[in-house]
Amino acid sequence: MSDALDGNARARARRLKLMAFDVDGVLSDGSLFYSDAGIEIKAFNTLDGLGLKMLQQAGITVAIITGRHARCVELRAQDLGIQHLYQAVDNKLETMRLLLAELGLGTDDAGYMGDDVLDLPVMTACAFSATPGDGHALVQRYAALTTGRHGGHGAVREVCEFILDAQGKLAAALAPYLTMASR
């Protein structure tokens, strides 16, 4: 990323109060596994999970807006304390608008991380957008930030730390772990 693009992404991330994420290809690697009983299974990365918790602890609301519905996503959101979970969403932009209205926020306060062309309407409406390094090429073209990591493999954590750093909150988020490590 060029310095100019990085500066623009940082300026956009600096004012975020809400960051929403897609699931398939972002919080997971996009693979869909089905058990013989027809239960959908996804793998989630623990690095991403801690990043989402750090965002929340820093006062940034976290949401999940995804087109598919899977019980495992509900369980993961519960585990991470994410209260704003929207599954089986056909129009992610409309869902984002409803969430912003509920929270009393505007699109200048919001960001979205997606990986495919279905995510472009909501990504381009938000002040900040991000995509994993393996996101669709067109999505990468429109995203304010493209991560070095792939979806389901730490890309979300990279975005979380980028936002925290842009807001001057990363050192405080990491400090408790560094204090423990120095003992």
Side-chain angles (χ1 to χ4, degrees):
M1 175 181 295
S2 75
D3 288 342
L5 286 176
D6 183 55
N8 186 26
R10 284 190 178 288
R12 291 168 176 258
R14 193 170 294 125
R15 58 184 185 250
L16 289 182
K17 295 178 182 155
L18 166 69
M19 186 64 196
F21 299 86
D22 184 24
V23 174
D24 298 316
V26 175
L27 285 167
S28 76
D29 69 3
S31 298
L32 299 175
F33 300 95
Y34 291 94
S35 71
D36 288 343
I39 298 169
E40 189 171 320
I41 301 166
K42 301 174 190 292
F44 299 101
N45 190 295
T46 58
L47 290 173
D48 294 340
L50 183 56
L52 294 168
K53 285 185 175 185
M54 289 191 309
L55 273 187
Q56 292 174 95
Q57 290 165 351
I60 297 166
T61 301
V62 172
I64 294 173
I65 303 174
T66 182
R68 297 182 58 78
H69 183 274
R71 175 75 175 130
C72 59
V73 175
E74 291 174 35
L75 295 171
R76 184 63 174 151
Q78 288 172 7
D79 183 46
L80 296 173
I82 297 171
Q83 296 177 0
H84 303 284
L85 170 62
Y86 305 91
Q87 296 196 80
V89 173
D90 290 327
N91 187 333
K92 294 178 183 184
L93 178 56
E94 181 61 24
T95 299
M96 176 64 87
R97 287 182 176 144
L98 292 171
L99 177 58
L100 289 171
E102 176 187 328
L103 298 173
L105 300 173
T107 54
D108 285 350
D109 302 314
Y112 189 83
M113 183 174 187
D115 70 308
D116 208 345
V117 295
L118 296 169
D119 299 308
L120 283 173
V122 67
M123 289 175 68
T124 57
C126 291
F128 176 79
S129 60
T131 193
D134 61 342
H136 189 280
L138 187 60
V139 177
Q140 288 187 24
R141 192 174 321 149
Y142 282 92
L145 176 69
T146 298
T147 66
R149 292 181 174 258
H150 289 188
H153 296 280
V156 167
R157 175 64 167 274
E158 193 175 324
V159 168
C160 292
E161 289 190 3
F162 182 89
I163 293 166
L164 292 169
D165 188 49
Q167 294 188 3
K169 298 176 180 178
L170 182 59
L174 295 175
Y177 307 106
L178 296 173
T179 302
M180 290 179 208
S182 66
R183 291 182 185 174

